[in-house]
Amino acid sequence: MSASFSQEQSVVVVIGSGAGGGVLANALAQRGIDVVCLEAGRRLDMSEIVNDEAAMFGKFTWLDPRESSGQTIPGFPAWTCKTVGGTTLHWTASCPRMQAHEFKARSTYGAIADTTLEDWPLAFDDIAPYYSAAEQLMGVTGTHGIERLPGNNNYKVLEAGARKVGYRQIDTNNVAINPTPRDGRGACLQTGFCTSGCVVQAKWSTLYTEIPRAEQTGHFELRPECMVTRIAHDDSGRANEVHYIDAGGTPQKQKASAVCVAGNAIETARLLLNSSSDRFPTGLANSSDQVGRNYMRHMIAGVVGRMPGEVNIHRGAHQAGIIKDERGYNPDRGFVGGILMLTVPFAPEIFAKFLQPNGWGPEYADILAHYNHLAAMLIHGEDLPQASNRITLHEQKVDGYGLPIPVVHYEEHPNTAKLREYALARGRSVYEALGAKDVYDMVNVFPATHNMGTARMGSDRKTSVCNRWGQTHDVDNLFVSDGSLFTSAGCENPTLTIVALALRQADHIAGRVGRGEL
Amino acid sequence: MKADGVASMPAARRTNLEPEQRREFLKLLGFAAAGSAAVLSHPLSLSASEADNWNLAGVDAELGLMLASIARLLFPHPELNDSVYVQVVRDIDADMGQRPDLAKLLQNMAATLEQQVGGDWLAASVPEQVQALKSIEGGEAFFYLRNRTIESLYRNPLVWQLVGYEGSSIEYGGYINRGFDDIDWLDS
């Protein structure tokens, strides 16, 4: 059963309960380490998860105010989640591993102007066993003898078009979605609502895996609807207390032996910046001035084909379909970084809003009237780190907790523009090869869902925030445990790598606890 | 596909209807007959006296008719009955309760549009109305109306039926046995 800890007891405090925080907290609790997990969002009951995109958006989205700057969606630069389970409620469960060369981005790509590109302080071989453990934990298809999902209509269109244009690496992806019942969770029913929370729990989410399992250890307490306002430290500069506002709006403090921040890249950076003190005047763990910088999201664009026959795109698992031929390093294309093309469905409302951001009139309505003929893919491309792409604190505006709101600034690097043009042309060709009546691009319309790099790992404490274990260079017992750690972005959905890093960090922290260092 | 599963599905869940079945089916749901001359020749077939009975809080009959007409001009689906577009007006009316500035924004927009068409909006031709709407495309009122019309129309189950979106699926067991992979026009 769930533990209940005194606020005076020094425990490991994990901030956030998603892919990073939820996995780390459970891995520590399973080893008998006492953990309090502070989660800003509410714990949804499974009965509240319904097949209704608009309703679920309202239930789990992080809607506290954020300011946008540069090439971001006004007022909503990123779609993150404020709920127990974090973005594992909303994710598509797409779990490709990053490629070995992507951990050596600087060495592989060379010097690129106006970037802060670095190699990761760990190699693929270091993370490989944790990739394997993460896949096992989440039940990733196509790994560990777990069969792949069957392809839906949208996948069959993608596959057929891809073969016609000469692609060969096409399959139904590695997804953390059960094809058959496994690990106490049901099998995928192809409901078509992956991103609205999975009613049958076929899709892995910490809400119904890591969190309840951690509670069963007796070493874990979840405190939902608790918004952390600052991480405090003692005279020696060690983190010793976490301040938060509880569900009733009352300020509280929890003593901490170690603190692990996993609030998604924007909130993690914001919390460190909001935790400035006399000793750390520019923010906690920010002597490098790198907290909040090097903010990466993937180049994300949609390609939509109006096909000659019915597709019924809304039926089935969202991203169980992938073309991997373009993911490698191939400078002959005129840019660095890889590209993935994945199936994606949208509801009529989303097509209506974004197929042409200002579209209206009879021709536009006619496209929408043929909703059941639309096929679509989402293209992910590697995004390069730039110092000027960053999270800062607003100088005047505060949110409902009284905390300065984050300002998210992002400008596209010229490499990204080249990558996008290439990827869109290739994506179009897939649908054109099948006789699409028309093909549409959806560019610069989506808020970022892959947020990375704002407290990055590195070997040099002057150009990074954390070391290879995710421990901050400046504060011995302060860790970052989410996508903020990414030194470079790769082109893959980040969650599998976040989970692998969390499992690796759990080993490290458990080792230090065992040696009496934490 | 399990035959018993199909048989137990409500009519609204069936797909691949024959054209005649589809027309009957749409009629049942309150759609006007597809291709109705009245609908095609004019975007709206409602009168001011009907609009008087909408019982709206912040939108009067004249503005209400204009907004319904604009909603149809923005996303004209000939098969849709005017009532679907009137629902957009009801949603705008509800928004007014939350947004004090909205009434003025829309009144100003209405004045601009009426001026563009030389007075009576509903008496203007469709090309005149379209031209007038194009002149306000970049503005705040247009942005609001486009977005609101989309969120009202394309979340409406009647419109889902028209375009072939099937909505919530869990109560029917998802699509695992109901056509998630039933595509039949691809070359093998």
Side-chain angles (χ1 to χ4, degrees):
Chain A
M1 62 176 276
S2 178
S4 180
F5 296 107
S6 153
Q7 292 182 319
E8 293 303 314
Q9 182 181 344
S10 276
V11 295
V12 175
V13 176
V14 175
I15 300 165
S17 63
V23 168
L24 174 67
N26 184 36
L28 295 175
Q30 295 292 339
R31 289 170 169 82
I33 297 169
D34 292 335
V35 177
V36 166
C37 180
L38 299 170
E39 164 58 53
R42 196 162 67 84
R43 186 174 196 161
L44 289 175
D45 187 85
M46 281 310 292
S47 66
E48 295 178 81
I49 297 178
V50 292
N51 283 180
D52 182 332
E53 291 193 354
M56 293 312 299
F57 179 89
K59 286 180 189 179
F60 61 44
T61 302
W62 191 286
L63 294 170
D64 294 343
R66 287 170 173 166
E67 194 130 307
S68 304
S69 165
Q71 294 162 320
T72 51
I73 306 299
F76 196 66
W79 185 353
T80 59
C81 292
K82 186 178 182 179
T83 188
V84 172
T87 55
T88 67
L89 265 288
H90 174 239
W91 78 315
T92 61
S94 174
C95 282
R97 292 183 177 192
M98 282 179 66
Q99 303 159 83
H101 75 270
E102 291 174 324
F103 290 91
K104 297 184 286 188
R106 174 63 179 80
S107 309
T108 307
Y109 303 161
I112 298 174
D114 299 321
T115 73
T116 50
L117 203 57
E118 302 270 357
D119 290 351
W120 288 52
L122 68 161
F124 179 84
D125 288 347
D126 295 319
I127 199 173
Y130 294 98
Y131 269 146
S132 183
E135 288 158 349
Q136 184 100 12
L137 179 84
M138 297 190 283
V140 176
T141 59
T143 74
H144 302 283
I146 300 168
E147 66 186 277
R148 289 188 198 269
L149 283 180
N152 70 352
N153 292 330
N154 196 30
Y155 169 72
K156 289 184 171 183
V157 173
L158 184 88
E159 184 192 24
R163 293 210 184 282
K164 285 207 169 182
V165 301
Y167 287 140
R168 290 291 172 267
Q169 298 175 57
I170 315 151
D171 56 48
T172 60
N173 201 3
N174 304 112
V175 289
I177 299 176
N178 286 346
T180 53
R182 179 185 185 276
D183 201 24
R185 295 183 287 117
C188 177
L189 295 178
Q190 305 282 349
T191 64
F193 285 88
C194 297
T195 54
S196 300
C198 180
V199 182
V200 292
Q201 304 185 353
K203 181 183 84 169
W204 178 84
S205 168
T206 56
L207 173 66
Y208 39 75
T209 57
E210 311 310 296
I211 299 297
R213 277 179 194 172
E215 287 176 328
Q216 285 160 14
T217 66
H219 293 285
F220 174 87
E221 180 187 355
L222 175 75
R223 294 186 194 152
E225 296 177 77
C226 288
M227 177 70 178
V228 175
T229 54
R230 71 180 280 114
I231 300 164
H233 59 79
D234 63 18
D235 292 343
S236 70
R238 288 175 68 86
N240 68 343
E241 203 169 57
V242 177
H243 300 188
Y244 63 97
I245 296 173
D246 71 13
T250 307
Q252 304 285 358
K253 294 175 180 176
Q254 173 65 50
K255 290 267 191 288
S257 56
V259 178
C260 307
V261 191
N264 204 309
I266 295 171
E267 292 305 317
T268 290
R270 179 191 184 208
L271 175 59
L272 295 177
L273 295 173
N274 267 328
S275 299
S276 59
S277 64
D278 288 346
R279 188 184 182 115
F280 301 104
T282 60
L284 195 59
N286 193 27
S287 65
S288 62
D289 188 35
Q290 295 300 303
V291 170
R293 291 190 186 272
N294 312 306
Y295 169 60
M296 297 173 285
R297 49 185 213 187
H298 284 130
M299 191 295 294
I300 300 279
V303 178
V304 181
R306 181 170 170 178
M307 307 312 294
E310 283 195 23
V311 179
N312 291 308
I313 194 173
H314 56 282
R315 299 179 186 170
H318 287 193
Q319 287 203 315
I322 189 168
I323 304 171
K324 290 179 279 200
D325 293 70
E326 299 281 2
R327 71 176 163 163
Y329 172 58
N330 177 8
D332 293 345
R333 295 177 300 191
F335 55 86
V336 301
I339 295 163
L340 294 178
M341 302 176 186
L342 298 116
T343 53
V344 68
F346 295 107
E349 173 188 342
I350 304 301
F351 279 131
K353 280 182 178 165
F354 300 129
L355 208 48
Q356 293 166 13
N358 300 307
W360 60 280
E363 286 174 24
Y364 195 61
D366 185 58
I367 303 170
L368 300 171
H370 289 83
Y371 172 81
N372 56 5
H373 283 57
L374 301 179
M377 72 175 81
L378 201 66
I379 298 172
H380 301 178
E382 178 162 6
D383 182 22
L384 303 177
Q386 302 177 79
S388 53
N389 285 343
R390 65 187 295 202
I391 314 304
T392 52
L393 301 178
H394 199 283
E395 289 181 6
Q396 287 96 35
K397 292 185 187 170
V398 295
D399 66 9
Y401 305 100
L403 294 169
I405 69 168
V407 180
V408 179
H409 178 79
Y410 178 88
E411 301 275 358
E412 192 172 86
H413 190 274
N415 184 76
T416 304
K418 287 182 200 160
L419 180 151
R420 186 183 57 236
E421 290 315 305
Y422 175 88
L424 287 174
R426 298 302 292 154
R428 295 180 71 90
S429 74
V430 167
Y431 294 135
E432 283 164 356
L434 297 173
K437 187 176 172 188
D438 218 337
V439 183
Y440 316 95
D441 299 335
M442 294 167 84
V443 173
N444 294 333
V445 296
F446 303 115
T449 50
H450 302 168
N451 300 287
M452 298 160 281
T454 56
R456 70 180 184 176
M457 295 189 287
S459 321
D460 182 351
R461 59 184 300 146
K462 292 197 289 296
T463 59
S464 61
V465 178
C466 294
N467 68 12
R468 62 202 307 267
W469 303 106
Q471 175 194 19
T472 62
H473 295 304
D474 295 351
V475 181
D476 178 64
N477 63 340
L478 175 64
F479 297 82
V480 173
S481 318
D482 62 16
S484 312
L485 291 170
F486 284 35
T487 310
S488 64
C491 65
E492 291 78 10
N493 312 62
T495 299
L496 178 75
T497 302
I498 291 171
V499 172
L501 289 174
L503 292 172
R504 184 171 176 271
Q505 187 178 69
D507 278 356
H508 174 76
I509 290 175
R512 291 192 64 198
V513 170
R515 293 191 296 274
E517 295 171 19
L518 291 173
Chain B
M1 190 177 273
K2 285 182 198 160
D4 58 343
V6 174
S8 64
M9 268 164 48
R13 291 283 151 182
R14 289 190 194 155
T15 54
N16 303 325
L17 297 174
E18 294 302 314
E20 185 56 36
Q21 286 178 299
R22 185 174 170 83
R23 270 195 296 277
E24 287 303 310
F25 171 53
L26 291 173
K27 231 190 276 179
L28 276 175
L29 289 167
F31 293 107
S36 150
V39 172
L40 286 180
S41 65
H42 197 280
L44 211 61
S45 53
L46 291 163
S47 68
S49 59
E50 286 172 281
D52 279 336
N53 296 324
W54 292 349
N55 294 321
L56 302 178
V59 177
D60 63 29
E62 190 187 355
L63 181 62
L65 283 168
M66 186 177 191
L67 292 173
S69 128
I70 292 171
R72 194 186 265 288
L73 287 165
L74 291 179
F75 299 98
H77 293 287
E79 300 88 344
L80 289 184
N81 192 290
D82 283 335
S83 64
V84 177
Y85 294 96
V86 172
Q87 184 58 46
V88 178
V89 183
R90 294 189 186 284
D91 291 337
I92 293 170
D93 190 61
D95 281 357
M96 280 185 181
Q98 312 291 320
R99 271 188 66 175
D101 62 316
L102 190 56
K104 189 167 173 56
L105 183 73
L106 296 179
Q107 292 290 359
N108 288 346
M109 177 200 72
T112 304
L113 290 177
E114 278 166 350
Q115 196 178 16
Q116 294 268 350
V117 300
D120 186 350
W121 176 261
L122 291 176
S125 71
V126 168
E128 284 175 320
Q129 291 172 333
V130 167
Q131 205 53 43
L133 283 174
K134 280 187 177 162
S135 77
I136 63 161
E137 259 181 325
E140 185 189 351
F142 186 89
F143 179 83
Y144 164 79
L145 273 186
R146 179 181 182 273
N147 205 55
R148 196 67 189 89
T149 303
I150 288 172
E151 290 185 358
S152 179
L153 270 189
Y154 296 106
R155 284 182 194 174
N156 187 328
L158 292 175
V159 179
W160 288 355
Q161 294 292 344
L162 175 72
V163 305
Y165 177 67
E166 297 166 282
S168 178
S169 75
I170 185 63
E171 57 271 51
Y172 307 101
Y175 295 102
I176 187 82
N177 295 314
R178 294 194 311 125
F180 83 106
D181 62 349
D182 66 354
I183 196 160
D184 60 3
W185 54 267
L186 288 167
D187 305 336
S188 56

